[in-house]
C-alpha cells in the first residue's frame, strides 16, 4: 500500500482554483491570505500534515489573482502540487514577523489594493498592513463560500468515494444489529469498517443510538438494544478532504409493530417532500416547509447542510431562519438532507441522504437501502 502523501488530482485542484480566482474577481480581491485548512486545500490541492486541533489564524497560504501564483506554508514538498515551486514554499515560524517578511516578498504585495483573509487575529490585524501597505484588508470568507458552494464534476467524484466508505460502514453496522447489542458495539463495528475502507476520521460524532420512545429529540436511556427498538445509524466519512454522510433507522428484531410501520411510512412521505424542495432557485425555507407539508414538527437540529471540504453552506434550521438567515439553492450544490419523525411509544425514524442539485433535476448520491 502506498503511504506517501499525494496532492489532489490536477483536474480537481485546477477546477477549484479557477472558481476561487473567479470569486476574487467578483469580490474585487487582489490577494487572498488563507488560514483555514479547508480553504487552503481548496485553493492548493495540498493535504497538510500535523494540523489536528484548534489553533489561531496564521497566513498559511497566499493566492495572487493577477498571476494565479500560490505561496504555501510547508516545510517540504511532500504532497505539494508541482505547479507550486520550491521558491513559493515557506516554513513554519513562531515569530509572526518572520511570516510578515515572507508576505512582503509576495509578487504584487506592495501594489495590492484589496487583500482578503478568511479569518484574523488581533496580532495579524495589526501586522498585515506592513506586508500590504497600500491595501484595504477585508473579509474573504464570502468569496470562499461562494466558490465552495458549487461543486465541480471532479468534486462530485471525490465525494462519491467518501460516500461509498460511509455506506460500507453503515451496512456493516446494520449486519450486527440484534436485540442485546450495545450502542458502542455497533459504533465500533461501523468505525472498523470505515477504517478498513481507508478512512480513520469519521465525519460525525454519533454513529448508532437507540431512539427514545418517550421523548421526541432524545436517545433512549438504555444503551443496549431491545426487541422492537428503532435504532438510528449516522455514518459520515472524511476521505481525501471531502465529507459525505448517510443515515438510516432500522428496527431491532422481527416483531415490528404497526406503529413502527406507520412511522416509516411517514418518514417516506417527509423524504419525498424534502426531495421536491431541492431544486435550483428554491428557498432554503422550502426544506423547513416540507416538514409542515408532511405534518411533521420541525426538529431543533438542522434539516439540511452543505457538504464538501467539510461542511459548506447553507445550513438550514428553524433557529437560523428565525434569526433572518436566508439562502437560495443553486445547481451544483451538494446537501445532506435530514428527515426525522417520532411517535410516542414507537421511537423515531431518522434518515439522512446526500443529494446533488443539478439543472436537469435532483441526483440522490446515496444508495443505501431503507427499511420497509
Amino acid at each position: 500500500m502506498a503511504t506517501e502523501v499525494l496532492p489532489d488530482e490536477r483536474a480537481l485542484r485546477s477546477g477549484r482554483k479557477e472558481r476561487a480566482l473567479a470569486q476574487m474577481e467578483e469580490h474585487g480581491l487582489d490577494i487572498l491570505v488563507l488560514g483555514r485548512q479547508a480553504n487552503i486545500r481548496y485553493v492548493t490541492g495540498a493535504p497538510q500534515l500535523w494540523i489536528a486541533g484548534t489553533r489561531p489564524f496564521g497566513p498559511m497560504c497566499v493566492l495572487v489573482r493577477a498571476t494565479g501564483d500560490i505561496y504555501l506554508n510547508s516545510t517540504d514538498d511532500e504532497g505539494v502540487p508541482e505547479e507550486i515551486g520550491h521558491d513559493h514554499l515557506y516554513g513554519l515560524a513562531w515569530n509572526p514577523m518572520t511570516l510578515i517578511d515572507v508576505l512582503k516578498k509576495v509578487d504584487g504585495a506592495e501594489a495590492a489594493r484589496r487583500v482578503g483573509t478568511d479569518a484574523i487575529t488581533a496580532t495579524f490585524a495589526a501586522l498585515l498592513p506592513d506586508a500590504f501597505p497600500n491595501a484595504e484588508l477585508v473579509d474573504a470568507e464570502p468569496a470562499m463560500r461562494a466558490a465552495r458552494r458549487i461543486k465541480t464534476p471532479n468534486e462530485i467524484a471525490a465525494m462519491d468515494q467518501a460516500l461509498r466508505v460511509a455506506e460500507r460502514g453503515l451496512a456493516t453496522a446494520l449486519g450486527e444489529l440484534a436485540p442485546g447489542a450495545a450502542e458502542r458495539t455497533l459504533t465500533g463495528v461501523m468505525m472498523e469498517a470505515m477504517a478498513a475502507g481507508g478512512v480513520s476520521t469519521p465525519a460525525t460524532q454519533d454513529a448508532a443510538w437507540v431512539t427514545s420512545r418517550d421523548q421526541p429529540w432524545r436517545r433512549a436511556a438504555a444503551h443496549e438494544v431491545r426487541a422492537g427498538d428503532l435504532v438510528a445509524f449516522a455514518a459520515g466519512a472524511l476521505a481525501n478532504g471531502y465529507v459525505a454522510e448517510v443515515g438510516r433507522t432500522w428496527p431491532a428484531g422481527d416483531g415490528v409493530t404497526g406503529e413502527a410501520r406507520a412511522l416509516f411510512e411517514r418518514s417516506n412521505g417527509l423524504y419525498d417532500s424534502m426531495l421536491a424542495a431541492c431544486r435550483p432557485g428554491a428557498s432554503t425555507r422550502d426544506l423547513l416547509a416540507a416538514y409542515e407539508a408532511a405534518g411533521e414538527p420541525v426538529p431543533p437540529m438542522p434539516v439540511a447542510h452543505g457538504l464538501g471540504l467539510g461542511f459548506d453552506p447553507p445550513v438550514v434550521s428553524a433557529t437560523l431562519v428565525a434569526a433572518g438567515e436566508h439562502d437560495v439553492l443553486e445547481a451544483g450544490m451538494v446537501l445532506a438532507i435530514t428527515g426525522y419523525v417520532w411517535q410516542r411509544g414507537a421511537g423515531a425514524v431518522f434518515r439522512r441522504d446526500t443529494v446533488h442539485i443539478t439543472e436537469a433535476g435532483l441526483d440522490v448520491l446515496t444508495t443505501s437501502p431503507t427499511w420497509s
Side-chain angles (χ1 to χ4, degrees):
M1 178 183 293
T3 58
E4 67 270 23
V5 179
L6 299 175
D8 295 332
E9 294 183 359
R10 176 180 286 274
L12 176 60
R13 62 181 189 261
S14 63
R16 294 185 312 213
K17 181 181 174 183
E18 288 174 7
R19 284 197 55 79
L21 289 170
Q23 288 302 319
M24 290 179 70
E25 176 78 27
E26 180 74 18
H27 288 77
L29 302 177
D30 299 311
I31 291 177
L32 272 181
V33 180
L34 303 175
R36 294 180 175 174
Q37 286 304 312
N39 287 338
I40 293 172
R41 184 157 187 173
Y42 188 89
V43 166
T44 68
Q48 294 191 298
L49 302 179
W50 315 114
I51 57 172
T54 301
R55 64 196 186 289
F57 168 83
M60 299 294 101
C61 173
V62 178
L63 175 61
V64 181
R65 174 162 61 100
T67 61
D69 284 352
I70 294 173
Y71 297 78
L72 181 64
N73 181 266
S74 182
T75 55
D76 58 40
D77 59 4
E78 184 177 18
V80 176
E82 59 188 2
E83 62 267 21
I84 304 177
H86 284 230
D87 59 333
H88 281 36
L89 300 180
Y90 56 99
L92 293 168
W94 292 108
N95 186 343
M97 291 307 301
T98 302
L99 296 175
I100 294 300
D101 287 340
V102 170
L103 298 183
K104 287 179 179 180
K105 298 180 176 65
V106 168
D107 290 340
E110 187 171 353
R113 293 295 180 263
R114 276 172 61 88
V115 172
T117 69
D118 59 353
I120 203 161
T121 59
T123 297
F124 281 104
L127 295 179
L128 282 178
D130 291 342
F132 309 105
N134 298 304
E136 173 191 9
L137 294 179
V138 299
D139 183 10
E141 189 60 22
M144 289 306 303
R145 288 184 180 182
R148 289 174 52 181
R149 67 192 274 124
I150 305 301
K151 304 300 182 290
T152 68
N154 294 99
E155 285 188 280
I156 300 299
M159 294 180 71
D160 188 71
Q161 297 176 23
L163 185 54
R164 299 291 84 81
V165 172
E167 290 190 314
R168 189 177 306 119
L170 172 64
T172 305
L174 283 174
E176 296 296 319
L177 176 61
E183 289 177 346
R184 63 179 179 271
T185 300
L186 298 173
T187 296
V189 168
M190 182 185 294
M191 297 299 118
E192 182 181 39
M194 289 200 296
V199 173
S200 59
T201 307
T204 57
Q205 181 176 359
D206 294 321
W209 67 96
V210 178
T211 65
S212 172
R213 305 187 192 197
D214 303 313
Q215 299 288 337
W217 317 115
R218 303 283 182 86
R219 295 169 176 260
H223 300 295
E224 189 171 281
V225 177
R226 299 173 300 167
D229 279 341
L230 299 181
V231 183
F233 295 85
L238 174 61
N240 298 317
Y242 281 91
V243 169
E245 297 184 41
V246 57
R248 293 290 185 266
T249 298
W250 223 262
D254 298 326
V256 182
T257 66
E259 275 189 329
R261 292 183 184 276
L263 201 56
F264 277 97
E265 290 178 5
R266 285 167 51 188
S267 175
N268 291 337
L270 173 60
Y271 175 69
D272 291 340
S273 295
M274 296 192 76
L275 289 187
C278 294
R279 62 189 188 280
S283 169
T284 52
R285 293 191 178 108
D286 292 348
L287 288 161
L288 294 169
Y291 272 82
E292 298 174 6
E296 302 294 345
V298 176
M301 72 283 285
V303 302
H305 58 268
L307 294 176
L309 284 169
F311 288 172
D312 285 338
V315 176
V316 185
S317 73
T319 301
L320 290 175
V321 168
E325 184 81 12
H326 175 66
D327 207 337
V328 174
L329 301 180
E330 299 179 63
M333 283 183 167
V334 175
L335 302 178
I337 60 172
T338 300
Y340 192 98
V341 298
W342 178 81
Q343 180 63 49
R344 183 176 296 278
V349 174
F350 159 83
R351 177 172 182 172
R352 179 169 292 154
D353 285 272
T354 298
V355 300
H356 177 211
I357 300 172
T358 72
E359 293 286 2
L362 190 66
D363 186 11
V364 180
L365 302 181
T366 44
T367 61
S368 295
T370 57
W371 184 88
S372 58

